């Protein structure tokens, strides 16, 4: 299992910060001197390499993690009341999180008024498509040849196929086992590959950010600042208002008791940026401090750590919208519905490890036809946002355990 090692993790964070600082120095120096500007082209390949590697991982990872996530629910025909309630809770809270993010990003418009031409264009058809056609086309995009979809990177179709295949495999018992094992092993391999590729993130940050700063200077920094503000504000609203209100209203646990009970899990999730690594602590806090029955916690929390990512979904929606704004691309209501759907599902496909959300976020970008180069900007601050969104992910799982405990005898 891929669990982050503390020392390595700190080293990676330090290297990413270093990449960012060097990009600032080099980027601003390039704005002052023609000679330095001439060198920018020599470093931008690093960003391109990182971006291409993300594209290598994303499609097999999402398919495998979707299949494994669904199979983990057990035989889909016999899924018990707890699983149904769990899925209803996960869907509800993840949707609320994405809506909070979408409202904020539309109101604040962190990327508006800035013209960052990072290269790459969104297809005009997507931008111009109307609401009615949009649904018809979405249906056609969701159900189609899965092999062609994998080859072409058709996000919705891959997600839908993963859900269907996982559901069917869960009913096949021993006959399905060989294929389930293949997907489990593919899932683990892709998570390990993600870990490896993340070691190139410092170079990616350096390469992509240098180019942006050299071309846009302070405009880029201020847009980035607003983007961070919107993500943090959204996570704050969800983590401090929505979740505690649900836990209190539906679970009968006051916010102070809730936060007092799970504070260790929140601290660990913040510092590791991994819901999976935090799981043992979350289980301990929820069972021993909040009195949730081990049977409920033992089902809801491991499942939640894999599929329920409120913070990640919120962040993915905001990031995609921010990138659209930065490119001056207006997304209609219909297209924002697509952002909503893909952010909610892509978060399910995100593993509970550091940086996973950034990788599945490329799915949202691909689905609405936004340029993947856009990650060049947000990559620089992603590590910090990862820590906060993971904390919200874990708070969402713990709230779910508290609520479902109340309705389970
Ligand atoms: N790091 C997050 C988690 O473990 C996933 C993400 O990157 O958003 O929950």
């Amino acid at each position: 299992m891929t669990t982050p090692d503390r020392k390595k993790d700190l080293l990676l964070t330090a290297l990413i910060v270093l990449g960012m600082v060097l990009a600032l120095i080099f980027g601003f120096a390039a704005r002052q001197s023609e000679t330095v500007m001439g060198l920018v082209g020599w470093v931008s390949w690093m960003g391109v390499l990182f971006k291409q590697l993300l594209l290598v991982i994303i499609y097999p990872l999402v398919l495998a993690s979707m299949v494994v996530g669904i199979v983990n629910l057990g035989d889909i025909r016999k899924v018990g009341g707890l699983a149904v309630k769990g899925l209803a809770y996960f869907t509800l809270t993840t949707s609320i999180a994405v809506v909070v993010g979408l409202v904020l990003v539309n109101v604040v418009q962190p990327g508006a008024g800035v013209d960052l031409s990072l290269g790459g264009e969104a297809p005009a058809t997507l931008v111009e498509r109307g609401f009615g056609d949009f649904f018809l086309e979405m249906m056609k995009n969701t159900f189609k040849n899965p092999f062609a979809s994998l080859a072409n990177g058709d996000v919705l179709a891959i997600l839908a196929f993963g859900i269907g295949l996982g559901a069917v495999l869960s009913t096949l018992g021993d006959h399905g086992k060989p294929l389930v094992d293949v997907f489990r092993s593919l899932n683990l391999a892709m998570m390990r590959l993600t870990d490896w590729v993340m070691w190139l993130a410092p170079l990616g940050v350096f390469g992509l950010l240098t180019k942006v700063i050299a071309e846009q200077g302070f405009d880029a920094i201020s847009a980035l600042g607003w983007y961070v503000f919107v993500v943090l504000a959204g996570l704050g609203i969800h983590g401090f208002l929505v979740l505690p209100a649900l836990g209190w209203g539906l679970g009968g646990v006051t916010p102070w008791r809730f936060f007092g009970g799970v504070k260790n899990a929140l601290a660990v999730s913040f510092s590791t940026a991994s819901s999976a690594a935090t799981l043992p602590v979350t289980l301990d806090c929820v069972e021993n401090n909040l009195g949730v029955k081990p049977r409920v916690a033992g089902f809801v929390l491991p499942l939640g750590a894999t599929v329920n990512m409120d913070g990640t979904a919120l962040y993915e929606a905001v990031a995609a919208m921010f990138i659209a704004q930065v490119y001056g691309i207006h997304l209609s209501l219909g297209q924002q519905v697509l952002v909503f759907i893909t952010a909610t599902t892509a978060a399910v496909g995100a593993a509970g490890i550091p940086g996973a959300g950034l990788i599945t976020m490329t799915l949202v970008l691909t689905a609405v036809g936004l340029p993947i180069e856009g990650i060049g900007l947000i990559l620089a601050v992603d590590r910090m946002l990862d820590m906060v969104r993971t904390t919200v992910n874990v708070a969402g799982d713990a709230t779910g355990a508290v609520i479902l405990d109340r309705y389970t005898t």
Side-chain angles (χ1 to χ4, degrees):
M1 179 60 211
T2 318
T3 41
D5 162 328
R6 286 296 292 139
K7 271 201 201 127
K8 277 196 186 160
D9 206 47
L10 279 177
L11 176 64
L12 179 59
T13 310
L15 288 174
I16 291 178
V17 172
L18 182 68
M20 212 172 124
V21 172
L22 290 179
L24 286 175
I25 298 174
F26 195 25
F28 278 111
R31 292 178 73 76
Q32 307 300 326
S33 134
E34 281 292 314
T35 328
V36 183
M37 192 59 118
L39 296 175
V40 170
W42 289 92
V43 299
S44 51
W45 65 269
M46 298 179 195
V48 175
L49 174 68
F50 182 70
K51 185 200 93 183
Q52 290 303 118
L53 288 174
L54 292 183
L55 288 175
V56 171
I57 303 175
I58 180 67
Y59 302 112
L61 173 74
V62 160
L63 178 63
S65 89
M66 198 50 112
V67 171
V68 171
I70 302 284
V71 168
N72 281 349
L73 285 172
D75 187 334
I76 211 81
R77 292 167 308 180
K78 301 190 200 121
V79 168
L82 185 56
V84 173
K85 285 178 210 154
L87 290 182
Y89 166 84
F90 294 159
T91 315
L92 174 78
T93 48
T94 308
S95 309
I96 298 177
V98 175
V99 170
V100 168
L102 284 177
V103 169
L104 278 177
V105 78
N106 275 295
V107 172
V108 179
Q109 303 262 339
V114 202
D115 176 23
L116 300 177
S117 45
L118 308 175
E121 284 199 347
T125 50
L126 268 165
V127 179
E128 285 157 13
R129 208 184 286 156
F131 201 70
D133 290 353
F134 170 80
F135 273 109
L136 196 63
E137 205 155 311
M138 201 165 74
M139 201 180 69
K140 288 192 199 151
N141 284 337
T142 307
F143 305 108
K144 55 187 188 186
N145 180 346
F147 298 101
S149 313
L150 272 171
N152 299 330
D154 291 334
V155 178
L156 283 180
I158 298 172
L159 290 171
F161 179 62
I163 294 174
L165 186 61
V168 168
L169 284 174
S170 78
T171 67
L172 289 183
D174 280 351
H175 292 297
K177 196 168 172 302
L179 194 51
V180 171
D181 285 343
V182 167
F183 279 110
R184 280 198 202 289
S185 140
L186 181 63
N187 191 30
L188 281 177
M190 287 299 122
M191 277 162 63
R192 176 65 54 83
L193 199 56
T194 305
D195 273 352
W196 290 355
V197 167
M198 282 315 283
W199 281 98
L200 291 178
L203 287 185
V205 169
F206 178 61
L208 291 163
L209 193 66
T210 301
K211 187 162 176 283
V212 173
I213 304 276
E215 282 167 8
Q216 303 292 331
F218 275 111
D219 280 355
I221 311 256
S222 97
L224 199 57
W226 281 109
Y227 159 72
V228 169
F229 168 78
V230 171
V231 175
L232 291 182
L235 292 175
I237 292 175
H238 195 72
F240 286 114
L241 293 176
V242 177
L243 290 176
L246 288 173
W248 198 0
L250 299 175
V253 174
T254 58
W256 34 100
R257 185 162 161 245
F258 176 77
F259 284 117
V262 296
K263 61 180 180 313
N264 287 350
L266 298 187
V268 174
S269 57
F270 183 78
S271 52
T272 60
S274 167
S275 325
T278 314
L279 185 58
V281 191
T282 322
L283 277 164
D284 177 56
C285 290
V286 163
E287 287 178 16
N288 298 328
N289 304 343
L290 298 177
V292 172
K293 293 183 269 302
R295 192 170 66 81
V296 176
F299 177 78
V300 175
L301 293 178
L303 187 62
T306 330
V307 300
N308 182 43
M309 311 240 169
D310 297 4
T312 301
L314 185 151
Y315 141 84
E316 293 190 349
V318 173
M321 292 298 298
F322 171 67
I323 289 172
Q325 290 169 359
V326 153
Y327 277 84
I329 296 165
H330 173 73
L331 294 184
S332 67
L333 190 59
Q335 286 149 4
Q336 295 203 27
V337 171
L338 187 53
V339 170
F340 170 85
I341 296 173
T342 41
T344 313
T345 2
V348 174
I353 55 170
L358 175 78
I359 297 182
T360 56
M361 202 268 301
T362 55
L363 278 183
V364 185
L365 294 181
T366 331
V368 280
L370 294 168
I372 297 209
E373 283 77 5
I375 57 168
L377 246 190
I378 62 170
L379 186 59
V381 289
D382 201 67
R383 183 66 196 186
M384 176 189 77
L385 294 182
D386 194 4
M387 294 162 81
V388 186
R389 68 182 184 248
T390 307
T391 311
V392 173
N393 290 344
V394 169
D397 298 341
T399 308
V402 162
I403 295 176
L404 296 168
D405 189 54
R406 194 169 183 201
Y407 297 101
T408 312
T409 42

